Amino acid sequence: MQNHRTELNEMKINRYYKVAGHSFAICLREGSKLWESLGQYSGFETDAAGAADPLFTLELMGGPTSGEPLPHLPQLHTEYDSPTEDGETVIKLFTTADKELTLVEMAVDHRCPICAKLLCDKQFKHGRLYLCTNSLSSAVFAVNNSAMLLYAFTTTSLDTLEMHSSVVVNGGKAFLFLGHSGTGKSTHSSLWLKHISGSELMNDDNPIVRVLPNGKVVAYGSPWSGKTPCYKNIEAPVGAFVQIKQYPQNEIRRMPLLEAYATLYSSSSGYKADEAMADGLHSTMEKVVTGIPFYELACRPDEQAAILCNSTVCK
């Protein structure tokens, strides 16, 4: 009990991070063991001066025995509650009638109970995270998931996309492999690493794509990378996007513009029911699809698929 009281009395501190040029802060108690479990952020850490005006601050309020319970809220309205498959993260969004507050409930998947609740202001500038469990692994999941959500929400007007993709860098350019979970994105990246000389994995699940003021489209590593620990603070101009599709033979074709747009839309994160956020996302996607080629690779998980893809997208 004494140790618990000591942690409650410790001062909270901010640590600042910069991902794809956008800064944010995570606020935890100074002696919290959770800091040690967030080592994936270390390569992205900056100081307060380097963070300038952070896009958001994510503050951990504590767990069920911390003495910081979720405050009483007025009646909430369901904004998003979509069915998920086994292994997919559960996200539920609720808002107050005046839209001034948003509550996000999350779970590892639909077979697990809600493990955390994130209370956000209208602009998503400040998120307060309340844990529903004292599990350290659940706390790490909740911090990562909350940081990703707030990052996606606050960058929609900044020509930035948080992607669901595996990314390989080759010849100084980034190649993003897209597709639903289980279609072979990570497998195709591993084939490039094994068979295409000079390839490097940038990120295996959640890279960031930005359109710079000069129109260049650039991919960035992030502190979020799914099940593969690949947290590299690196960047490279985008060479191509490739939609992976399982098929009994290897074929590749370039997508027409509308198909490319639909592919990018389904592979990027964001609260697309919000009109302002959707406008920002659509503006960014238009710039991306008109400047970067998109391909569909129907393939087997073999060396020849990687060679075919590489020889096509690196022309």
Side-chain angles (χ1 to χ4, degrees):
M1 180 61 74
Q2 181 62 40
N3 290 338
H4 177 62
R5 287 175 177 170
T6 299
E7 182 166 330
L8 282 179
N9 291 329
E10 286 175 347
M11 181 185 299
K12 288 181 180 178
I13 60 171
N14 284 346
R15 289 187 182 175
Y16 297 93
Y17 306 94
K18 186 173 286 187
V19 177
H22 304 307
S23 60
F24 60 90
I26 295 178
C27 179
L28 305 179
R29 298 191 185 282
E30 188 169 13
S32 174
K33 295 180 180 179
L34 188 52
W35 284 123
E36 300 173 10
S37 300
L38 296 174
Q40 67 205 69
Y41 291 84
S42 61
F44 301 85
E45 191 164 4
T46 185
D47 55 21
D53 182 23
L55 288 177
F56 65 86
T57 297
L58 173 62
E59 180 181 5
L60 181 62
M61 305 306 293
T65 61
S66 68
E68 296 180 274
L70 184 73
H72 174 74
L73 299 172
Q75 183 176 1
L76 297 173
H77 302 267
T78 303
E79 292 287 328
Y80 178 84
D81 184 6
S82 181
T84 57
E85 297 181 0
D86 291 357
E88 291 184 343
T89 299
V90 173
I91 299 292
K92 301 179 181 181
L93 271 70
F94 308 89
T95 61
T96 54
D98 58 8
K99 306 289 186 179
E100 291 297 320
L101 294 173
T102 297
L103 181 69
V104 182
E105 295 183 349
M106 61 193 77
V108 175
D109 77 11
H110 65 89
R111 297 164 296 184
C112 301
I114 296 297
C115 68
K117 299 182 179 183
L118 177 67
L119 185 61
C120 308
D121 61 5
K122 188 174 184 178
Q123 288 76 35
F124 297 97
K125 290 281 289 182
H126 195 173
R128 295 176 174 87
L129 182 61
Y130 299 84
L131 302 178
C132 305
T133 170
N134 286 318
S135 163
L136 181 60
S137 62
S138 293
V140 172
F141 162 80
V143 169
N144 287 333
N145 203 49
S146 298
M148 289 174 62
L149 282 173
L150 291 172
Y151 188 93
F153 290 174
T154 54
T155 58
T156 53
S157 63
L158 301 174
D159 280 338
T160 300
L161 301 173
E162 186 181 287
M163 302 294 301
H164 179 44
S165 168
S166 184
V167 191
V168 165
V169 178
N170 185 276
K173 292 187 177 182
F175 299 95
L176 290 89
F177 305 128
L178 313 177
H180 298 295
S181 297
T183 55
K185 300 184 297 298
S186 296
T187 297
H188 194 73
S189 284
S190 67
L191 290 170
W192 274 57
L193 299 179
K194 183 176 181 180
H195 301 294
I196 308 299
S197 178
S199 296
E200 175 188 3
L201 186 67
M202 173 186 280
N203 186 280
D204 202 37
D205 199 49
N206 297 109
I208 309 300
V209 169
R210 280 191 68 182
V211 182
L212 302 183
N214 63 4
K216 180 183 290 187
V217 181
V218 180
Y220 298 80
S222 82
W224 313 295
S225 189
K227 297 177 181 178
T228 302
C230 183
Y231 312 114
K232 298 177 181 178
N233 191 1
I234 60 175
E235 63 184 79
V238 175
F241 292 84
V242 182
Q243 175 89 356
I244 303 296
K245 177 182 177 182
Q246 295 178 354
Y247 202 62
Q249 60 193 49
N250 298 322
E251 301 175 354
I252 192 168
R253 65 178 179 87
R254 184 160 177 176
M255 292 184 184
L257 193 63
L258 288 179
E259 186 179 356
Y261 192 96
T263 298
L264 183 60
Y265 182 88
S266 65
S267 298
S268 59
S269 301
Y271 186 22
K272 296 163 184 173
D274 180 275
E275 185 174 349
M277 289 190 194
D279 286 346
L281 289 170
H282 289 309
S283 174
T284 306
M285 291 178 194
E286 182 180 359
K287 296 171 186 175
V288 172
V289 299
T290 54
I292 303 296
F294 279 67
Y295 297 87
E296 180 190 72
L297 175 67
C299 64
R300 301 184 302 266
D302 60 18
E303 178 181 356
Q304 291 306 312
I307 292 173
L308 173 62
C309 183
N310 171 260
S311 64
T312 302
V313 302
C314 292
K315 286 181 182 177

